[in-house]
Amino acid sequence: MWKSRWGGKSVGRLTGSTIKSPEIGQRWLGSLLLIVLLGVLPACGSKKAVSVNEVKHRGKLVAGVKFDSKPFGFLDTDGQLKGYDIDLMRELSRRLLGKEKGVEFQQVLSSTRVIAINSGSVDAVAATMTITPERAKVVDFSIPYLTAHQAVVVPSDSPARHLKDLDGKTILFVLGTTSEGNIKKRLPDAKYTGFKSSTDAFSALKAGRGDAMTTDDTIISGFLSDNCGFRVLDEKLSDEPYGLAFRKGGAETPDDLRVQVNQSLKVMEKDGTLARLKAKWVDGMLKS
Ligand code: GLU
């Protein structure tokens, strides 16, 4: 079951009001978005973290996932929602609720993940979300379940071989990501254009509207599995440990959703489930 409440044609009931244009390059708007995401909204979020008993009573776990980030959460050509984060949530649902189909999926974008959690729209976010100290001030994270790395993709015929070759050039990124801050630190003199989704940023790169695009290597590998004519620079900018995110204020009791997810993730690490998911969705793509 999935619900495109913020996605597809209606990418945002919520995003529509915060991001009016699919392409927002101005630095001030990026900063404003950051203030909103990190500052105001968490203070407004009155909802509490959820317990597994509450989820069982309700009969479904509501998960915020990406719909456009192959191989983590994406709508496949058959119209089905697939990917690592989708399988991970189904597996957690099987282990915690006793049924694999106990998850309702709602679309989140990088810039709406925190809002989705703190508004109470979703119980958890599984959406290529890197655990950072700044984000940990406004949401609670699970233990990491996979580590990606920030990378840069350029057209195959680009003269750029190293990151420094892109200084002064136009670099495309996704709003609400760690990628933005990391690349701006490394290349302060580049020009930047932000997009609401990685699909939009990659489409702009394809259309020649920038010299390079940056996001996690895992997400870039998803685009390159469907597109020829691009290559990834060898240099990686950062480690990006992915965690599930939850509303703050969990009871830390045995019944707390995050506590139980962490227990399950530890078991899934030991019993090979996480390795199996990585082999199924990620490893083959990163090599290609
Ligand atoms: N994993 C990075 C982040 O959480 C970049 C990609 C994404 O937005 O999911 O910001």
Side-chain angles (χ1 to χ4, degrees), residues 66 69 109-111 113 127-132 135 148 150 174-180 214-216 218-219 240-242:
K66 298 273 196 75
S69 292
L109 303 169
S110 296
S111 57
R113 291 176 292 206
T128 67
M129 189 165 181
T130 300
I131 302 168
T132 70
R135 288 173 177 168
Q150 186 177 340
V174 183
L175 294 162
T177 61
T178 50
S179 321
E180 176 180 2
T214 186
T215 184
D216 296 342
T218 45
I219 297 173
E240 301 287 327
Y242 290 174

mmCIF file of all heavy atoms in Angstrom, residues 66 69 109-111 113 127-132 135 148 150 174-180 214-216 218-219 240-242, ligand 1:
data_model
loop_
_atom_site.group_PDB
_atom_site.id
_atom_site.type_symbol
_atom_site.label_atom_id
_atom_site.label_comp_id
_atom_site.label_asym_id
_atom_site.label_seq_id
_atom_site.Cartn_x
_atom_site.Cartn_y
_atom_site.Cartn_z
ATOM 1 N N LYS A 66 11.211 7.858 0.050
ATOM 2 C CA LYS A 66 11.380 8.547 -1.225
ATOM 3 C C LYS A 66 10.641 7.756 -2.316
ATOM 4 O O LYS A 66 10.548 6.528 -2.242
ATOM 5 C CB LYS A 66 12.867 8.621 -1.597
ATOM 6 C CG LYS A 66 13.742 9.398 -0.612
ATOM 7 C CD LYS A 66 13.753 10.865 -0.948
ATOM 8 C CE LYS A 66 14.882 11.588 -0.248
ATOM 9 N NZ LYS A 66 16.204 11.359 -0.815
ATOM 10 N N SER A 69 14.153 7.919 -5.550
ATOM 11 C CA SER A 69 15.568 7.714 -5.239
ATOM 12 C C SER A 69 15.934 6.239 -5.383
ATOM 13 O O SER A 69 16.132 5.525 -4.400
ATOM 14 C CB SER A 69 15.889 8.233 -3.837
ATOM 15 O OG SER A 69 15.783 9.629 -3.802
ATOM 16 N N LEU A 109 10.252 14.156 0.527
ATOM 17 C CA LEU A 109 11.424 14.665 -0.195
ATOM 18 C C LEU A 109 12.495 14.920 0.857
ATOM 19 O O LEU A 109 12.204 14.962 2.057
ATOM 20 C CB LEU A 109 11.075 15.971 -0.899
ATOM 21 C CG LEU A 109 9.910 15.916 -1.889
ATOM 22 C CD1 LEU A 109 9.506 17.328 -2.317
ATOM 23 C CD2 LEU A 109 10.287 15.083 -3.101
ATOM 24 N N SER A 110 13.715 15.156 0.404
ATOM 25 C CA SER A 110 14.774 15.450 1.380
ATOM 26 C C SER A 110 14.363 16.617 2.264
ATOM 27 O O SER A 110 14.595 16.608 3.470
ATOM 28 C CB SER A 110 16.076 15.773 0.649
ATOM 29 O OG SER A 110 16.506 14.632 -0.057
ATOM 30 N N SER A 111 13.731 17.613 1.655
ATOM 31 C CA SER A 111 13.385 18.831 2.398
ATOM 32 C C SER A 111 12.117 18.695 3.234
ATOM 33 O O SER A 111 11.778 19.609 3.980
ATOM 34 C CB SER A 111 13.230 19.996 1.420
ATOM 35 O OG SER A 111 12.259 19.670 0.454
ATOM 36 N N ARG A 113 11.392 15.675 5.077
ATOM 37 C CA ARG A 113 11.485 14.527 5.983
ATOM 38 C C ARG A 113 11.207 14.914 7.430
ATOM 39 O O ARG A 113 10.435 14.246 8.136
ATOM 40 C CB ARG A 113 12.873 13.872 5.866
ATOM 41 C CG ARG A 113 13.096 13.188 4.553
ATOM 42 C CD ARG A 113 14.491 12.619 4.412
ATOM 43 N NE ARG A 113 15.517 13.637 4.320
ATOM 44 C CZ ARG A 113 16.702 13.456 3.722
ATOM 45 N NH1 ARG A 113 16.991 12.280 3.174
ATOM 46 N NH2 ARG A 113 17.584 14.419 3.690
ATOM 47 N N ALA A 127 14.424 7.146 4.394
ATOM 48 C CA ALA A 127 14.531 7.875 3.133
ATOM 49 C C ALA A 127 15.952 8.401 2.904
ATOM 50 O O ALA A 127 16.161 9.611 2.824
ATOM 51 C CB ALA A 127 13.521 9.026 3.121
ATOM 52 N N THR A 128 16.897 7.497 2.834
ATOM 53 C CA THR A 128 18.309 7.856 2.568
ATOM 54 C C THR A 128 18.761 9.007 3.470
ATOM 55 O O THR A 128 19.550 9.850 3.071
ATOM 56 C CB THR A 128 18.546 8.250 1.087
ATOM 57 O OG1 THR A 128 17.857 9.476 0.774
ATOM 58 C CG2 THR A 128 18.103 7.161 0.127
ATOM 59 N N MET A 129 18.279 9.003 4.698
ATOM 60 C CA MET A 129 18.521 10.159 5.580
ATOM 61 C C MET A 129 19.780 9.950 6.421
ATOM 62 O O MET A 129 19.863 9.012 7.213
ATOM 63 C CB MET A 129 17.309 10.384 6.486
ATOM 64 C CG MET A 129 17.374 11.674 7.260
ATOM 65 S SD MET A 129 15.744 12.046 7.939
ATOM 66 C CE MET A 129 16.079 13.592 8.768
ATOM 67 N N THR A 130 20.721 10.846 6.221
ATOM 68 C CA THR A 130 21.984 10.758 6.954
ATOM 69 C C THR A 130 21.807 11.222 8.393
ATOM 70 O O THR A 130 21.157 12.236 8.653
ATOM 71 C CB THR A 130 23.038 11.647 6.263
ATOM 72 O OG1 THR A 130 23.208 11.161 4.932
ATOM 73 C CG2 THR A 130 24.360 11.612 6.997
ATOM 74 N N ILE A 131 22.403 10.461 9.300
ATOM 75 C CA ILE A 131 22.395 10.837 10.722
ATOM 76 C C ILE A 131 23.427 11.950 10.914
ATOM 77 O O ILE A 131 24.611 11.749 10.618
ATOM 78 C CB ILE A 131 22.778 9.625 11.601
ATOM 79 C CG1 ILE A 131 21.808 8.464 11.356
ATOM 80 C CG2 ILE A 131 22.861 10.011 13.068
ATOM 81 C CD1 ILE A 131 22.258 7.131 11.954
ATOM 82 N N THR A 132 22.976 13.121 11.360
ATOM 83 C CA THR A 132 23.918 14.215 11.647
ATOM 84 C C THR A 132 23.587 14.793 13.023
ATOM 85 O O THR A 132 22.433 14.719 13.468
ATOM 86 C CB THR A 132 23.820 15.360 10.616
ATOM 87 O OG1 THR A 132 22.566 16.039 10.798
ATOM 88 C CG2 THR A 132 23.940 14.869 9.183
ATOM 89 N N ARG A 135 20.654 17.358 12.764
ATOM 90 C CA ARG A 135 19.328 16.736 12.624
ATOM 91 C C ARG A 135 18.907 16.030 13.912
ATOM 92 O O ARG A 135 17.717 15.960 14.227
ATOM 93 C CB ARG A 135 19.340 15.745 11.459
ATOM 94 C CG ARG A 135 19.400 16.429 10.102
ATOM 95 C CD ARG A 135 19.582 15.424 8.987
ATOM 96 N NE ARG A 135 19.579 16.071 7.677
ATOM 97 C CZ ARG A 135 19.933 15.477 6.556
ATOM 98 N NH1 ARG A 135 20.318 14.200 6.571
ATOM 99 N NH2 ARG A 135 19.894 16.126 5.412
ATOM 100 N N ALA A 148 26.478 5.430 2.981
ATOM 101 C CA ALA A 148 26.750 5.887 1.609
ATOM 102 C C ALA A 148 27.863 6.929 1.667
ATOM 103 O O ALA A 148 28.397 7.215 2.752
ATOM 104 C CB ALA A 148 25.482 6.472 1.015
ATOM 105 N N GLN A 150 29.063 10.832 -0.230
ATOM 106 C CA GLN A 150 28.675 11.876 -1.185
ATOM 107 C C GLN A 150 29.614 11.857 -2.383
ATOM 108 O O GLN A 150 30.837 11.795 -2.233
ATOM 109 C CB GLN A 150 28.698 13.262 -0.533
ATOM 110 C CG GLN A 150 28.149 14.331 -1.475
ATOM 111 C CD GLN A 150 28.078 15.707 -0.844
ATOM 112 O OE1 GLN A 150 28.082 15.826 0.387
ATOM 113 N NE2 GLN A 150 28.015 16.742 -1.659
ATOM 114 N N VAL A 174 20.361 18.902 -4.261
ATOM 115 C CA VAL A 174 18.975 18.749 -3.808
ATOM 116 C C VAL A 174 18.799 19.507 -2.489
ATOM 117 O O VAL A 174 19.616 19.367 -1.567
ATOM 118 C CB VAL A 174 18.618 17.252 -3.635
ATOM 119 C CG1 VAL A 174 17.147 17.103 -3.233
ATOM 120 C CG2 VAL A 174 18.913 16.481 -4.912
ATOM 121 N N LEU A 175 17.727 20.282 -2.423
ATOM 122 C CA LEU A 175 17.448 21.068 -1.215
ATOM 123 C C LEU A 175 17.200 20.158 -0.011
ATOM 124 O O LEU A 175 16.587 19.097 -0.142
ATOM 125 C CB LEU A 175 16.209 21.937 -1.455
ATOM 126 C CG LEU A 175 16.387 23.026 -2.506
ATOM 127 C CD1 LEU A 175 15.031 23.529 -2.995
ATOM 128 C CD2 LEU A 175 17.220 24.169 -1.961
ATOM 129 N N GLY A 176 17.679 20.589 1.141
ATOM 130 C CA GLY A 176 17.430 19.826 2.371
ATOM 131 C C GLY A 176 18.381 18.666 2.565
ATOM 132 O O GLY A 176 18.127 17.785 3.384
ATOM 133 N N THR A 177 19.488 18.648 1.814
ATOM 134 C CA THR A 177 20.441 17.540 1.923
ATOM 135 C C THR A 177 21.739 17.976 2.606
ATOM 136 O O THR A 177 22.076 19.166 2.633
ATOM 137 C CB THR A 177 20.822 16.990 0.529
ATOM 138 O OG1 THR A 177 21.440 18.047 -0.225
ATOM 139 C CG2 THR A 177 19.617 16.472 -0.214
ATOM 140 N N THR A 178 22.458 16.993 3.084
ATOM 141 C CA THR A 178 23.806 17.238 3.601
ATOM 142 C C THR A 178 24.741 17.613 2.452
ATOM 143 O O THR A 178 25.744 18.296 2.660
ATOM 144 C CB THR A 178 24.350 15.963 4.272
ATOM 145 O OG1 THR A 178 24.156 14.861 3.362
ATOM 146 C CG2 THR A 178 23.640 15.659 5.574
ATOM 147 N N SER A 179 24.399 17.161 1.250
ATOM 148 C CA SER A 179 25.267 17.392 0.084
ATOM 149 C C SER A 179 25.538 18.881 -0.118
ATOM 150 O O SER A 179 26.653 19.273 -0.478
ATOM 151 C CB SER A 179 24.610 16.859 -1.197
ATOM 152 O OG SER A 179 23.938 15.659 -0.970
ATOM 153 N N GLU A 180 24.518 19.702 0.116
ATOM 154 C CA GLU A 180 24.658 21.137 -0.142
ATOM 155 C C GLU A 180 25.789 21.748 0.713
ATOM 156 O O GLU A 180 26.695 22.395 0.193
ATOM 157 C CB GLU A 180 23.332 21.865 0.135
ATOM 158 C CG GLU A 180 23.466 23.376 -0.029
ATOM 159 C CD GLU A 180 22.178 24.148 0.246
ATOM 160 O OE1 GLU A 180 21.169 23.522 0.611
ATOM 161 O OE2 GLU A 180 22.203 25.382 0.086
ATOM 162 N N THR A 214 25.589 16.798 -7.426
ATOM 163 C CA THR A 214 26.115 16.064 -6.283
ATOM 164 C C THR A 214 24.995 15.536 -5.393
ATOM 165 O O THR A 214 24.012 16.232 -5.136
ATOM 166 C CB THR A 214 27.108 16.916 -5.451
ATOM 167 O OG1 THR A 214 27.676 16.092 -4.434
ATOM 168 C CG2 THR A 214 26.435 18.128 -4.823
ATOM 169 N N THR A 215 25.149 14.290 -4.979
ATOM 170 C CA THR A 215 24.283 13.654 -3.976
ATOM 171 C C THR A 215 25.027 12.394 -3.516
ATOM 172 O O THR A 215 26.220 12.237 -3.813
ATOM 173 C CB THR A 215 22.871 13.355 -4.531
ATOM 174 O OG1 THR A 215 22.061 12.831 -3.460
ATOM 175 C CG2 THR A 215 22.865 12.360 -5.673
ATOM 176 N N ASP A 216 24.341 11.489 -2.833
ATOM 177 C CA ASP A 216 25.021 10.263 -2.386
ATOM 178 C C ASP A 216 25.356 9.360 -3.577
ATOM 179 O O ASP A 216 24.591 9.298 -4.550
ATOM 180 C CB ASP A 216 24.122 9.507 -1.409
ATOM 181 C CG ASP A 216 23.879 10.296 -0.133
ATOM 182 O OD1 ASP A 216 24.647 11.241 0.140
ATOM 183 O OD2 ASP A 216 22.923 9.972 0.590
ATOM 184 N N THR A 218 25.083 6.267 -3.738
ATOM 185 C CA THR A 218 24.026 5.260 -3.886
ATOM 186 C C THR A 218 22.912 5.769 -4.805
ATOM 187 O O THR A 218 22.404 5.028 -5.643
ATOM 188 C CB THR A 218 23.430 4.966 -2.499
ATOM 189 O OG1 THR A 218 23.208 6.227 -1.840
ATOM 190 C CG2 THR A 218 24.351 4.124 -1.653
ATOM 191 N N ILE A 219 22.551 7.029 -4.628
ATOM 192 C CA ILE A 219 21.454 7.605 -5.425
ATOM 193 C C ILE A 219 21.931 7.861 -6.858
ATOM 194 O O ILE A 219 21.212 7.595 -7.829
ATOM 195 C CB ILE A 219 20.933 8.901 -4.756
ATOM 196 C CG1 ILE A 219 20.356 8.570 -3.374
ATOM 197 C CG2 ILE A 219 19.891 9.588 -5.622
ATOM 198 C CD1 ILE A 219 19.954 9.774 -2.525
ATOM 199 N N GLU A 240 28.110 9.055 4.696
ATOM 200 C CA GLU A 240 26.698 9.396 4.927
ATOM 201 C C GLU A 240 25.994 8.190 5.553
ATOM 202 O O GLU A 240 25.412 7.355 4.857
ATOM 203 C CB GLU A 240 26.020 9.762 3.586
ATOM 204 C CG GLU A 240 26.653 10.929 2.842
ATOM 205 C CD GLU A 240 26.377 12.289 3.481
ATOM 206 O OE1 GLU A 240 25.282 12.471 4.052
ATOM 207 O OE2 GLU A 240 27.261 13.170 3.412
ATOM 208 N N PRO A 241 26.090 8.072 6.886
ATOM 209 C CA PRO A 241 25.415 6.937 7.550
ATOM 210 C C PRO A 241 23.904 7.143 7.601
ATOM 211 O O PRO A 241 23.428 8.124 8.162
ATOM 212 C CB PRO A 241 26.027 6.949 8.963
ATOM 213 C CG PRO A 241 26.530 8.341 9.161
ATOM 214 C CD PRO A 241 26.827 8.940 7.827
ATOM 215 N N TYR A 242 23.166 6.216 6.998
ATOM 216 C CA TYR A 242 21.699 6.340 6.941
ATOM 217 C C TYR A 242 21.060 5.797 8.222
ATOM 218 O O TYR A 242 21.416 4.717 8.702
ATOM 219 C CB TYR A 242 21.125 5.523 5.777
ATOM 220 C CG TYR A 242 21.418 6.056 4.390
ATOM 221 C CD1 TYR A 242 21.055 5.315 3.267
ATOM 222 C CD2 TYR A 242 22.042 7.282 4.177
ATOM 223 C CE1 TYR A 242 21.307 5.781 1.977
ATOM 224 C CE2 TYR A 242 22.295 7.755 2.891
ATOM 225 C CZ TYR A 242 21.925 6.995 1.797
ATOM 226 O OH TYR A 242 22.180 7.449 0.532
HETATM 227 N N1 GLU B 1 21.810 11.320 2.498
HETATM 228 C C1 GLU B 1 21.945 12.725 2.313
HETATM 229 C C2 GLU B 1 21.031 13.485 3.243
HETATM 230 O O1 GLU B 1 20.407 12.915 4.088
HETATM 231 C C3 GLU B 1 21.741 13.189 0.886
HETATM 232 C C4 GLU B 1 20.657 12.511 0.099
HETATM 233 C C5 GLU B 1 19.287 12.676 0.700
HETATM 234 O O2 GLU B 1 18.792 13.776 0.865
HETATM 235 O O3 GLU B 1 18.700 11.695 1.077
HETATM 236 O O4 GLU B 1 20.961 14.684 3.174
#
